[in-house]
Amino acid sequence: MLAVELESMRGADLLLHVNIEEHEVFSELLPEKRHALLYPAGPEAPRGPGGDDIVVVASNNTANVESVVWFLREVAPKAPDIDIKIVGNIDAGVRSAAPEEYRRYRDWFVGRVDDVRRVYENARLVLLPMVNGFGLSIKTLEAMASGLPLIATSAALRGMQDDALALRDVTIADDPESFARALNRKAREPRRTEAQRRTSGVRAYFDAHFSQAVYRRNLEALVESLLENGRRP
């Protein structure tokens, strides 16, 4: 399948990649072609007024189920005094894959909501306990857009350049102990104001890399360069 994919790419004037891993891999596989990293525009999220909710947002797919089960088994018992809201239809997957954990934390599961934007609007902290996955995570982009502080595994920021791992307002925690320590610490911090969320490090990163305006500007520049090359003798 890879051979077929590579052969079809050889006819392109420009190969666009939506995450850094794909850009690096295909640049090595097809060094004779021109490559560009073009991040997609991420979804917007409200930046206030804020509330007391600590949230995990996840849809029902295999990677998300594994991640939420890891969090419930390995992290949650180490933060016994903290309540979490787990939002999305992930409840069905966790109930099937880990019935014991589901029963223990059943009150945390909110289920599917009509407008996930309200979840970020009323939150104070977002948890991204991802243990695997491929490509950019849309829910990570949405969490960044909210301007809220994040506790995340490195896998949650996959597909981005390394500077995302050092962002202000992102706490990277790849093992249960460090994730639980971060959760216990961040849960005691005052919630961010709307002004603080608008100027947070994660929101600034979203604006610089994943906003509609940046996507449009980058795409226009790539198209112009192709047209310019086409006009050359």
Side-chain angles (χ1 to χ4, degrees):
M1 183 177 292
L2 178 59
V4 173
E5 187 175 2
L6 292 175
E7 187 59 33
S8 67
M9 290 180 175
R10 287 190 172 92
D13 295 315
L14 173 65
L15 295 171
L16 301 180
H17 307 286
V18 297
N19 66 70
I20 192 67
E21 283 91 354
E22 289 183 3
H23 183 268
E24 292 174 350
V25 168
F26 285 101
S27 293
E28 290 185 4
L29 290 171
L30 294 169
E32 74 280 8
K33 304 302 298 183
R34 183 184 171 200
H35 299 261
L37 175 63
L38 181 66
Y39 285 133
E44 278 288 352
R47 295 181 293 283
D52 292 324
D53 295 341
I54 300 173
V55 301
V56 175
V57 177
S59 57
N60 187 15
N61 62 53
T62 300
N64 285 344
V65 169
E66 291 177 0
S67 298
V68 171
V69 170
W70 174 82
F71 176 78
L72 295 178
R73 284 178 178 167
E74 305 294 338
V75 179
K78 297 176 175 64
D81 298 323
I82 298 173
D83 288 327
I84 312 293
K85 284 190 174 181
I86 302 175
V87 181
N89 62 353
I90 189 73
D91 53 343
V94 174
R95 184 169 59 244
S96 176
E100 182 178 342
E101 284 74 17
Y102 179 79
R103 285 193 297 270
R104 182 175 180 182
Y105 296 102
R106 184 172 185 172
D107 291 344
W108 286 7
F109 288 89
V110 176
R112 184 183 180 279
V113 295
D114 291 331
D115 186 3
V116 73
R117 291 167 50 87
R118 297 296 299 274
V119 175
Y120 294 105
E121 187 176 56
N122 297 312
R124 60 181 301 181
L125 177 65
V126 180
L127 310 182
L128 298 164
M130 302 180 200
V131 295
N132 59 39
F134 301 96
L136 283 171
S137 167
I138 298 301
K139 61 177 171 287
T140 297
L141 302 188
E142 196 167 46
M144 286 181 160
S146 75
L148 288 163
L150 315 178
I151 303 175
T153 58
S154 299
L157 280 76
R158 64 187 184 271
M160 302 182 194
Q161 296 177 356
D162 290 342
D163 58 348
L165 297 172
L167 280 174
R168 176 168 52 94
D169 304 311
V170 176
T171 302
I172 299 297
D174 284 326
D175 60 80
E177 291 74 20
S178 61
F179 206 107
R181 282 197 303 271
L183 177 54
N184 283 310
R185 183 178 71 254
K186 301 295 284 187
R188 293 193 298 268
E189 292 182 357
R191 73 186 188 195
R192 304 291 176 89
T193 65
E194 289 186 61
Q196 289 172 324
R197 288 171 64 168
R198 284 196 300 271
T199 58
S200 70
V202 290
R203 179 65 207 197
Y205 196 82
F206 178 91
D207 287 338
H209 297 280
F210 301 107
S211 67
Q212 287 282 351
V214 167
Y215 174 79
R216 184 166 53 249
R217 185 174 68 241
N218 291 341
L219 182 59
E220 287 174 352
L222 289 169
V223 171
E224 288 176 4
S225 70
L226 283 175
L227 294 175
E228 182 64 30
N229 288 335
R231 286 193 291 266
R232 291 176 183 171

